[in-house]
Amino acid sequence: MSPPGSYQASALAASDIDAYLEAHQHKSLLRFITCGSVDDGKSTLIGRLLYDSKMIFEDQLAALEADSARIGTQGKNLDFALLVDGLAAEREQGITIDVAYRFFATEKRKFIVADTPGHEQYTRNMVTGASTAELAVILVDARLGVLTQTRRHSYLVHLLGIRNIVLAVNKLDLVNYDEARFNAIVGEYREFADRIGIGEFTAIPISGLQGDNITSRSERTPWYRGPTLIEHLETVPLATDADQARPFRMAVQWVNRPNQQFRGYAGLIAAGRIHPGDAVRVLPAGTTTTISRIVTMDGEPAEAVAGQSVTLCFTTDVDCSRGCVISAAADPPESADQFEATVVWMADEEMLPGRTYWLKLGTQTVTAQVQAPKYQVNVNTLEHLAARTLELNAIGVANISTDQPLVFEPYELSRDLGGFILIDKLSNATVAAGLLHFALRRAGNIHWQQLDVTRELHAKLKNQKPAVLWFTGLSGAGKSTIANLVEKQLARMNRHTFLLDGDNVRHGLNRDLGFSDADRVENIRRVGEVAKMMTDAGLIVITAFISPFRAERAMVRQMIAPGEFFEIHIDTTLAAAEARDVKGLYKKARAGQLKNFTGIDSPYEAPTAPEIRIDTSKLTPEQAAELIVSALIS
Amino acid sequence: MSLTHLQRLEAESIHIFREVVAETSKPVLLYSIGKDSAVMLQLARKAFYPAPLPFPLLHVDTTWKFRDMYALRDQVAALPGIQLLVYQNPDAKRRGINPFDHGSLHTDLWKTEGLKQALDQYGFDAAFGGARRDEEASRAKERIFSFRAANHRWDPKRQRPELWRIYNARKARGESIRVFPLSNWTELDVWQYIHLEKIPIVPLYMAAPRPTVRRDGLLLMVDDERFPLKAGETPELRSIRFRTLGCYPLTGAVESTATTVPEIIREMLLTTTSERQGRAIDRDQPASMEKKKQEGYF
């Protein structure tokens, strides 16, 4: 064991600090991910990389020596795994560790390592770690060869767009540095790699424990002629350099407008290079203009490239704000509002097809709906499975539609314009990550047919203002009873109405839907669409649905024209509704014969600010109807 | 042209600053006067240039910083376009809480409580902090955007996955986020950047002869007459500097002759102890950083 002070970098620092700084200043950066379980020797390998590049100080080393002696598994030697397994205690406390990031540097490069510990939540963690990595080190135990988890890791890093894959055949010391064993594993992996579309990979025989072929070539593998792991990491071409050769793309983060004289557009260049005088197109509008200046605090450079954060100014006044994408004028990306995408579900609560989520892609945030998945991928066998929804750690392919066009590129081309997250609108949690593959032609080809008899004319003919009276409340609260009274009273006043009743709709339009959360969401979405068409026809629509989720009621509210949606909460205690139990449903639910019954084993989310709230303990159904009608007419 | 690692770190930090300003309503930069704060400030100015900083700096003051630190703070506050807020916990002030008599209560009241009070008083919904993932083993897993419930509590189960360059800054009323733009910087990167960008730092980072006493294995600097000397202690002049700056005497100095940034870097590369070693705060009890974070300290 050599003391930390003896490394080359330090030697140079000691003798000529200016030369050292000059060299260090010009290092590039490589972010990579390590895949493998504890048994593959991943922690030992990372620990060794940190140790060999002097990222461990004496006090940490002293702790490592003490721990190695106390709980280490390597006898008198240092147990490098203890350096990075320090998070175990936190795992026991229930602290979720998605990804731990480690840092080390060699003479040529600085490295950021994404380390995804543990088996639980593996998909979610690996996807997170792989999203910022451009190289993956896949560890295989030389004794065990290519395992199910090797395939899973390879599939995930390939899915996330990592094209530099290192197959590190580890623990070679335990198979006597046997060349045939190494070749057999490489052959087996080659076959699998071909199957999932991994073209090139670099196989390196190593021993993390003994240090073979990590930083220096091992004498025990004379048959191996390739680079050591560090040599490969130091010289592999950077994907970020390749980005500079693509057409220019920059998502606008923020408009810089300190005064009337200056207006600049700030962002991080995702691809290409830019110069004053370059013609650009601002999307989604498609306006063209020319770059006048590139502004930074360090002066105005003649060129800026992918990976830099800059502020761009135009020669002309064009409409451009956060969410716009500035692109090469001659080669702009597409815009669309319907896509096929791979979705990785990351939340405990399952995906609800039809529910609206926030979709954030670069600096664009829109409302999106995910359709029921076309299929789910079994990450162990790569089989496609039928699925109605996606649960935590599930990966599926589904169509996605958005309420506004998104400027995008296929994920395979651009992580910045093809990768997105989904955000739950109520909890604000990040519930999924997604990769856009292509736009569905439908979006471009179905145009809205302009009709001469407009919704205004429909309403005028009926001499009324269209509206949706949306009743919500527990089963047995009295929604249908009161809704019926309201419709009768409006009919007497010569108003044109239509009542959509929950039970009735389920006999026809929605008879294919059950009572799972996903089906409930779709039930409400369809009713919302029908109600919207009826308001276009000039009708006053009355709906009586439990509609237990806030998110769906908010979704319908958004569909309907402003001022035309009245949320009416028929507010009854569960005890009162259950005591009434007109249809005998509560009894069945309590007996376990009815699943997903609202109030019993499925939640009811009461409205926080309904237009009208009816307290059934204070009003008779007639009084309630009276109150609703007068509120509508006034 | 291949970007250097510092150029890429700089671009990432600037991107983070801009995302927060675009997506939150009232951000603030927590300015602790140390070298990490100095780098953060430089990056923030670059992010919004030529506009002035779109948020104020907040110094949660313990009244127990070194005199040199207050001097630099006031210099920074005088820069054009910089608004500096200073907050001192009135309760700690009233009770005369100090590091000599009150131990970890000093940090709790002045810093942890002071920070919460200041954020509440001004209604900030996002606060930039200078923490880095390389500082300590348990920080390696930290998010760049760290969510805090309405009472500032850090709930490990509610932290969000961070993919690509996409940060989810959405939150309910009363909730806030702490944002760490230097997450991916190492101590060496910070020093290298200070050197390249010629960023002004507190002179205490550079070696000079200073009055010191040795106590409990730490080398403490006697900065002013408030330092209570124990029986038999006489301040001795030693050539010292600080690797991290906090409250004296919680921060220990190291003997050094490094008087320029390159010399500091050389010393750092040849040194064999990690940066936080000089901080008494980490050694109070096992996993103490983790506990302090749950309570609302950075």
Side-chain angles (χ1 to χ4, degrees):
Chain A
M1 186 183 85
S2 49
S6 69
Y7 294 87
Q8 275 183 308
S10 305
L12 181 59
S15 61
D16 186 349
I17 186 63
D18 292 325
Y20 172 83
L21 287 177
E22 175 67 17
H24 184 77
Q25 234 158 275
H26 294 98
K27 283 180 187 176
S28 55
L29 174 66
L30 176 74
R31 299 187 67 148
F32 69 93
I33 181 171
T34 51
C35 314
S37 70
V38 180
D39 314 330
D40 291 328
K42 180 168 58 111
S43 298
T44 303
L45 175 66
I46 298 173
R48 178 170 281 283
L49 292 174
L50 302 187
Y51 178 81
D52 282 356
S53 63
K54 199 205 165 264
M55 285 294 140
I56 298 162
F57 294 107
E58 195 174 71
D59 49 338
Q60 294 166 335
L61 198 62
L64 174 66
E65 279 168 359
D67 289 347
S68 296
R70 198 163 51 86
I71 48 171
T73 55
Q74 301 305 325
K76 282 187 179 168
N77 296 323
L78 288 179
D79 187 351
F80 292 115
L82 293 174
L83 276 175
V84 288
D85 279 350
L87 300 173
E90 297 170 88
R91 274 204 298 276
E92 283 158 20
Q93 293 163 33
I95 296 176
T96 323
I97 301 155
D98 282 5
V99 190
Y101 296 92
R102 324 268 179 196
F103 306 85
F104 71 96
T106 65
E107 302 272 286
K108 298 197 177 81
R109 275 190 182 157
K110 165 173 169 155
F111 299 94
I112 302 179
V113 191
D115 176 19
T116 51
H119 296 278
E120 292 159 55
Q121 314 292 342
Y122 212 92
T123 298
R124 169 180 132 144
N125 296 346
M126 262 207 55
V127 165
T128 303
S131 73
T132 50
E134 51 178 278
L135 178 144
V137 176
I138 294 180
L139 278 157
V140 173
D141 185 327
R143 295 168 301 174
L144 305 174
V146 177
L147 300 177
T148 299
Q149 66 176 12
T150 316
R151 297 193 188 95
R152 178 172 65 194
H153 299 157
S154 305
Y155 168 73
L156 290 174
V157 298
H158 184 68
L159 178 73
L160 268 287
I162 294 178
R163 295 295 171 256
N164 284 314
I165 290 182
V166 175
L167 181 73
V169 181
N170 194 20
K171 303 196 181 180
L172 218 66
D173 49 323
L174 298 182
V175 296
N176 298 319
Y177 301 95
D178 179 13
E179 181 183 10
R181 182 71 194 132
F182 173 75
N183 287 338
I185 292 171
V186 174
E188 194 184 347
Y189 190 78
R190 173 78 270 163
E191 214 168 285
F192 169 74
D194 284 343
R195 202 146 67 76
I196 65 168
I198 293 176
E200 294 296 309
F201 64 88
T202 304
I204 307 177
I206 63 165
S207 166
L209 196 62
Q210 305 296 335
D212 296 289
N213 295 325
I214 307 287
T215 47
S216 57
R217 187 166 301 277
S218 172
E219 290 165 8
R220 292 174 283 211
T221 54
W223 41 267
Y224 175 69
R225 312 218 177 280
T228 64
L229 180 60
I230 286 292
E231 274 168 9
H232 183 68
L233 294 175
E234 280 182 329
T235 53
V236 69
L238 296 170
T240 41
D241 289 352
D243 282 342
Q244 294 179 12
R246 299 200 304 112
F248 182 76
R249 311 277 183 252
M250 186 185 96
V252 175
Q253 282 186 281
W254 186 72
V255 180
N256 192 337
R257 219 184 158 203
N259 53 51
Q260 292 300 316
Q261 281 74 51
F262 187 87
R263 182 195 277 264
Y265 304 93
L268 192 152
I269 301 174
R273 26 185 82 229
I274 195 83
H275 317 85
D278 285 354
V280 291
R281 193 178 295 270
V282 179
L283 299 166
T287 333
T288 54
T289 182
T290 304
I291 300 294
S292 62
R293 306 154 64 188
I294 303 169
V295 177
T296 75
M297 200 165 93
D298 304 311
E300 300 194 3
E303 181 185 64
V305 301
Q308 288 183 305
S309 283
V310 293
T311 299
L312 302 178
C313 300
F314 299 149
T315 53
T316 54
D317 261 353
V318 299
D319 212 14
C320 182
S321 55
R322 177 171 170 86
C324 290
V325 175
I326 302 173
S327 74
D331 197 351
E334 278 180 84
S335 299
D337 59 6
Q338 299 212 36
F339 309 89
E340 184 181 287
T342 294
V343 175
V344 182
W345 202 254
M346 299 190 157
D348 289 324
E349 194 187 330
E350 65 176 16
M351 174 180 104
L352 296 180
R355 171 171 284 191
T356 60
Y357 298 96
W358 294 116
L359 183 155
K360 191 171 182 195
L361 181 151
T363 61
Q364 307 172 79
T365 303
V366 298
T367 288
Q369 286 185 333
V370 188
Q371 310 300 314
K374 296 176 179 176
Y375 58 85
Q376 183 180 328
V377 179
N378 177 328
V379 292
N380 292 325
T381 61
L382 307 184
E383 279 174 305
H384 292 184
L385 309 171
R388 294 196 78 158
T389 178
L390 294 175
E391 290 175 349
L392 178 63
N393 287 313
I395 297 183
V397 169
N399 286 352
I400 290 193
S401 54
T402 58
D403 68 337
Q404 292 167 55
L406 275 178
V407 183
F408 84 105
E409 283 186 296
Y411 183 82
E412 291 74 7
L413 268 184
S414 165
R415 285 179 169 188
D416 286 288
L417 285 176
F420 64 88
I421 59 170
L422 295 178
I423 301 169
D424 185 280
K425 287 194 170 185
L426 283 178
S427 71
N428 291 317
T430 300
V431 292
L435 323 171
L436 292 180
H437 298 311
F438 50 83
L440 299 173
R441 289 174 182 275
R442 260 208 319 253
N445 292 342
I446 301 180
H447 295 284
W448 194 258
Q449 186 65 45
Q450 287 301 323
L451 303 171
D452 289 334
V453 180
T454 60
R455 78 189 306 271
E456 286 71 28
L457 189 54
H458 282 297
K460 210 171 152 196
L461 283 170
K462 296 186 179 60
N463 195 24
Q464 65 183 22
K465 195 174 170 303
V468 174
L469 304 180
W470 188 277
F471 287 65
T472 171
L474 293 170
S475 175
K479 296 183 297 297
S480 295
T481 310
I482 300 171
N484 193 43
L485 289 168
V486 167
E487 185 170 40
K488 261 166 55 184
Q489 205 166 332
L490 287 171
R492 275 203 298 274
M493 298 161 76
N494 281 324
R495 295 300 202 277
H496 299 261
T497 61
F498 193 83
L499 199 161
L500 288 164
D501 181 80
D503 286 349
N504 297 354
V505 169
R506 279 188 177 274
H507 281 117
L509 177 64
N510 291 353
R511 74 171 161 216
D512 58 326
L513 300 178
F515 288 88
S516 67
D517 284 356
D519 281 357
R520 280 167 184 261
V521 171
E522 176 61 11
N523 183 40
I524 297 306
R525 188 192 69 81
R526 290 187 199 172
V527 171
E529 288 290 347
V530 171
K532 175 176 178 262
M533 276 192 256
M534 287 183 168
T535 58
D536 286 349
L539 294 175
I540 295 170
V541 188
I542 304 165
T543 70
F545 294 82
I546 298 172
S547 46
F549 303 130
R550 255 175 233 136
E552 280 62 60
R553 296 194 301 264
M555 167 178 83
V556 177
R557 184 186 289 274
Q558 279 196 336
M559 290 180 192
I560 308 295
E564 294 184 3
F565 185 82
F566 295 81
E567 189 173 13
I568 302 170
H569 183 199
I570 308 299
D571 195 358
T572 309
T573 62
L574 181 62
E578 193 167 353
R580 206 175 300 151
D581 204 5
V582 195
K583 300 168 192 163
L585 297 174
Y586 282 95
K587 213 171 140 198
K588 277 194 197 167
R590 288 288 183 199
Q593 295 159 1
L594 213 53
K595 289 283 170 217
N596 297 323
F597 194 78
T598 301
I600 308 292
D601 57 350
S602 183
Y604 179 76
E605 299 169 0
T608 43
E611 272 73 11
I612 302 171
R613 187 177 152 270
I614 300 294
D615 182 345
T616 59
S617 67
K618 299 219 172 76
L619 297 175
T620 64
E622 289 74 17
Q623 289 170 323
E626 194 88 20
L627 191 135
I628 293 165
V629 170
S630 60
L632 176 69
I633 300 306
S634 68
Chain B
M1 143 179 134
S2 218
L3 298 181
T4 67
H5 74 289
L6 284 174
Q7 285 174 311
R8 284 182 62 192
L9 289 173
E10 178 187 73
E12 177 185 68
S13 301
I14 289 174
H15 177 257
I16 292 164
F17 273 112
R18 290 168 172 173
E19 281 302 288
V20 172
V21 164
E23 298 225 319
T24 64
S25 49
K26 201 173 177 191
V28 67
L29 187 149
L30 299 177
Y31 179 72
S32 70
I33 324 177
K35 64 182 195 308
D36 302 300
S37 282
V39 168
M40 259 209 305
L41 177 60
Q42 175 82 348
L43 292 164
R45 293 175 65 200
K46 287 195 179 197
F48 305 103
Y49 178 87
L53 276 196
F55 44 75
L57 312 190
L58 171 66
H59 179 221
V60 179
D61 188 17
T62 64
T63 70
W64 285 94
K65 298 291 171 191
F66 295 98
R67 284 173 301 167
D68 273 357
M69 294 175 72
Y70 290 116
L72 179 70
R73 182 193 73 182
D74 296 342
Q75 231 172 292
V76 164
L79 292 173
I82 299 280
Q83 188 203 351
L84 174 82
L85 307 169
V86 175
Y87 187 89
Q88 300 173 344
N89 178 355
D91 183 38
K93 205 169 182 175
R94 194 173 41 77
R95 291 167 60 184
I97 302 295
N98 69 74
F100 297 101
D101 302 325
H102 300 103
S104 64
L105 189 65
H106 170 76
T107 310
D108 281 352
L109 280 182
W110 282 113
K111 293 180 89 168
T112 312
E113 281 308 310
L115 174 62
K116 290 190 218 172
Q117 289 171 4
L119 294 178
D120 287 342
Q121 179 182 316
Y122 291 103
F124 294 121
D125 66 340
F128 296 104
R132 307 187 318 265
R133 285 170 173 155
D134 81 320
E135 274 176 67
E136 212 220 342
S138 78
R139 277 196 172 152
K141 63 176 194 306
E142 292 304 333
R143 312 292 201 285
I144 293 172
F145 281 46
S146 176
F147 276 75
R148 305 300 158 107
N151 54 4
H152 298 284
R153 220 169 158 85
W154 176 77
D155 177 356
K157 300 213 183 333
R158 287 189 55 205
Q159 301 305 315
R160 301 159 178 179
E162 290 178 341
L163 294 110
W164 301 294
R165 291 178 184 134
I166 307 180
Y167 303 99
N168 172 3
R170 290 189 172 265
K171 56 200 171 329
R173 269 183 83 85
E175 294 175 343
S176 60
I177 43 179
R178 308 280 165 86
V179 183
F180 306 111
L182 303 184
S183 288
N184 287 328
W185 294 59
T186 62
E187 187 185 9
L188 180 56
D189 297 330
V190 165
W191 279 118
Q192 182 93 40
Y193 195 71
I194 288 170
H195 174 59
L196 271 179
E197 299 274 321
K198 303 183 175 61
I199 299 171
I201 50 170
V202 182
L204 293 169
Y205 283 114
M206 259 71 91
R210 297 183 171 105
T212 59
V213 296
R214 201 177 277 285
R215 194 184 282 177
D216 303 331
L218 292 179
L219 198 52
L220 304 176
M221 172 176 155
V222 182
D223 194 43
D224 59 26
E225 68 295 340
R226 292 185 295 178
F227 192 102
L229 293 170
K230 289 186 179 165
E233 277 180 348
T234 15
E236 237 180 281
L237 220 51
R238 290 187 177 93
S239 178
I240 57 155
R241 64 178 192 89
F242 290 84
R243 292 180 62 194
T244 64
L245 288 174
C247 288
Y248 84 91
L250 295 175
T251 315
V254 291
E255 289 197 74
S256 164
T257 53
T259 55
T260 64
V261 174
E263 281 171 22
I264 290 172
I265 295 174
R266 174 169 59 189
E267 222 175 67
M268 203 197 103
L269 288 166
L270 302 178
T271 199
T272 53
T273 53
S274 67
E275 177 184 26
R276 295 201 75 86
Q277 210 232 6
R279 286 213 178 171
I281 182 172
D282 288 354
R283 303 198 301 191
D284 277 0
Q285 47 179 297
S288 68
M289 281 311 290
E290 201 61 22
K291 191 165 159 287
K292 288 201 157 45
K293 190 179 59 194
Q294 293 204 13
E295 289 161 358
Y297 177 76
F298 262 89

